[in-house]
């Protein structure tokens, strides 16, 4: 729809995740899937982001993988919008964004404890200025297209 932000996404299979201690971690986005939480009190249509945690191993000795979810709503006040900004994108209303291009990009994930004894990603923040992004990925500005 003209004037409305749109998001294109390639759906990838689910993968197992790890539990990490509360803290802030450098992470690399490894995949994104469109998912549904059927019994959600909120919007059940979500994106599930998967991240490899830099320097942290899981129980089997492989890289720790964590996930985070956001609504599929893309507006200036949405979580998805702020996450795209953390990845280095500059979303604009009326501009298409190929969200799959965040795969391979790095951010910092803030992980906090939950009431049930687990942890979850509560926010994504940009890497400190001057820290290089992953090699062989498109720069954020290269994936923005005028609607």
């Amino acid at each position: 729809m003209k004037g409305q932000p749109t998001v294109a996404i390639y759906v990838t299979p689910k993968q197992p995740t790890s539990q990490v201690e509360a803290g802030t971690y450098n992470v690399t986005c490894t995949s994104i899937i469109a998912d549904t939480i059927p019994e959600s009190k909120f919007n059940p249509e979500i994106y599930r982001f998967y991240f490899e945690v830099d320097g942290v191993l899981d129980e089997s000795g492989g890289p720790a993988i964590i996930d985070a979810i956001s609504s599929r709503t893309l507006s200036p006040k949405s979580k998805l919008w702020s996450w795209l900004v953390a990845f280095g994108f500059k979303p604009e209303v009326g501009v298409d964004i190929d969200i799959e291009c965040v795969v391979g990009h790095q951010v910092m994930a803030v992980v906090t404890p939950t009431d049930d004894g687990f942890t979850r990603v509560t926010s994504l923040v940009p890497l400190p200025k001057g820290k290089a992004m992953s090699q062989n990925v498109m720069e954020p500005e290269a994936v923005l297209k005028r609607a």
Side-chain angles (χ1 to χ4, degrees):
M1 188 181 308
K2 190 169 181 110
Q4 296 293 317
T6 59
V7 178
I9 187 163
Y10 174 77
V11 180
T12 56
K14 286 187 177 183
Q15 50 183 296
T17 59
S18 306
Q19 279 292 309
V20 296
E21 293 182 19
T24 302
Y25 298 89
N26 289 350
V27 297
T28 303
C29 184
T30 58
S31 65
I32 304 169
I33 64 167
D35 204 355
T36 302
I37 301 175
E39 298 174 15
S40 174
K41 301 185 282 192
F42 307 104
N43 184 346
E45 304 298 317
I46 62 160
Y47 291 128
R48 189 175 300 276
F49 292 71
Y50 288 94
F51 301 97
E52 184 174 307
V53 183
D54 295 355
V56 178
L57 302 178
D58 66 12
E59 301 80 30
S60 67
I65 303 292
I66 59 175
D67 69 336
I69 62 172
S70 81
S71 164
R72 293 187 204 174
T73 301
L74 180 59
S75 68
K77 293 185 179 185
S78 69
K79 181 193 292 188
L80 182 57
W81 187 286
S82 69
W83 286 8
L84 290 170
V85 169
F87 278 109
F89 289 83
K90 296 176 184 169
E92 296 177 42
V93 174
V95 177
D96 293 340
I97 297 178
D98 179 358
I99 197 168
E100 186 70 15
C101 287
V102 301
V103 172
H105 283 269
Q106 298 173 323
V107 290
M108 294 173 62
V110 178
V111 178
T112 58
T114 62
D115 292 338
D116 57 2
F118 294 97
T119 56
R120 70 182 186 100
V121 175
T122 52
S123 64
L124 300 179
V125 295
L127 292 174
K129 290 192 186 290
K131 178 142 181 168
M133 294 180 73
S134 299
Q135 299 294 322
N136 302 320
V137 293
M138 294 178 68
E139 289 301 317
E141 292 77 21
V143 297
L144 300 179
K145 299 178 182 172
R146 290 274 167 211

